[in-house]
Amino acid sequence: MVTLKTVNMEGVVLDALEANPAVFDTVTSETLIHDVVLGFLAAMRHGTHDTKERAEVSGGGKKPFRQKGTGRARRGSSREPVLRGGGTVFGPTPRSYRQNVTVQMKRKALCALLSDRNRSERLCVMEGLAVEQPRTKAVSGMLDKVVPERRRTLLVMAGHDKNVLLSFRNLPDVEVRTAADVNALDVIRASHVILQKEAVQKLEERLS
């Protein structure tokens, strides 16, 4: 079994928590993580960019001037790509950027990142994490004790907690996710990961 650092809301270190090595002690594959993260970023692109080609711009139905005798270059349409107001050549059109990333790849990448954060001592489990009423000041002080550097932090909860979401949403360097929807992109963006103690079991059930 692998052990996870455990603290309380005051930042006091408690007895280490034993966890499943299949989730928190796996081999880190940079290639796999790169492919999965790239897939998440690609899926976030809308792909709605569009330009009008020559056949789509208005006008240009009549030859602008005769073929010979004007001293100018011959033109068949006033909407040719080389003219102002003409169509775009090989411009972007609506498309999907989604890549083929399997569920198994996403799970392995998430386990690899959680394992990496644990080895580098940037992951901890918080026991007794509860917020009775929404107060940003209170949770901000708690983070100062648990993560003194206060770099980008990911907080993983066992389930949806309205008071926790309302308390942390005004902190620009904190992201709150549940164990059911956290992914590799969330973890790789965060410098530190804090897991609610009840969320560890849910992550193990989901990923192992």
Side-chain angles (χ1 to χ4, degrees), residues 2-205:
V2 63
T3 58
L4 305 179
K5 177 183 177 182
T6 306
V7 299
N8 59 16
M9 294 185 66
E10 299 298 326
V12 179
V13 179
L14 307 176
D15 294 336
L17 177 68
E18 292 187 351
N20 190 346
V23 178
F24 295 97
D25 192 22
T26 62
V27 179
T28 302
S29 172
E30 294 183 359
T31 303
L32 174 64
I33 293 174
H34 174 270
D35 292 341
V36 172
V37 171
L38 198 64
F40 277 116
L41 293 174
M44 293 170 62
R45 300 183 66 177
H46 294 290
T48 54
H49 41 42
D50 191 19
T51 56
K52 291 185 178 181
E53 297 181 351
R54 179 173 174 175
E56 298 173 318
V57 294
S58 60
K62 179 183 178 182
K63 188 175 177 67
F65 46 82
R66 63 186 183 181
Q67 183 82 348
K68 296 179 180 293
T70 63
R72 293 180 289 180
R74 54 194 174 187
R75 298 293 182 207
S77 171
S78 61
R79 291 297 178 260
E80 292 179 359
V82 297
L83 297 178
R84 181 178 180 181
T88 302
V89 180
F90 303 129
T93 56
R95 54 163 292 192
S96 173
Y97 286 92
R98 290 186 176 273
Q99 300 181 7
N100 184 23
V101 181
T102 64
V103 175
Q104 187 177 13
M105 290 173 61
K106 295 177 182 178
R107 289 176 178 173
K108 288 183 177 180
L110 180 56
C111 290
L113 286 170
L114 291 174
S115 301
D116 176 74
R117 293 295 185 270
N118 186 40
R119 293 191 196 99
S120 59
E121 298 183 353
R122 290 187 291 165
L123 181 146
C124 67
V125 177
M126 181 169 291
E127 184 175 341
L129 176 57
V131 180
E132 297 180 358
Q133 58 181 359
R135 281 197 65 188
T136 301
K137 184 177 181 180
V139 297
S140 179
M142 178 266 292
L143 285 178
D144 289 336
K145 299 175 183 177
V146 178
V147 187
E149 303 86 20
R150 282 301 300 271
R151 301 180 65 183
R152 191 175 182 90
T153 305
L154 173 66
L155 176 63
V156 182
M157 302 292 295
H160 290 283
D161 190 319
K162 183 178 179 180
N163 290 337
V164 171
L165 292 174
L166 292 176
S167 299
F168 282 98
R169 68 177 180 179
N170 287 333
L171 298 177
D173 54 350
V174 179
E175 291 288 339
V176 180
R177 295 288 185 269
T178 64
D181 58 16
V182 65
N183 57 53
L185 184 60
D186 297 326
V187 179
I188 202 171
R189 281 177 169 174
S191 176
H192 292 80
V193 179
I194 300 176
L195 305 178
Q196 187 184 25
K197 186 175 182 180
E198 294 77 9
V200 175
Q201 182 179 357
K202 291 185 176 295
L203 281 173
E204 292 176 345
E205 293 174 355

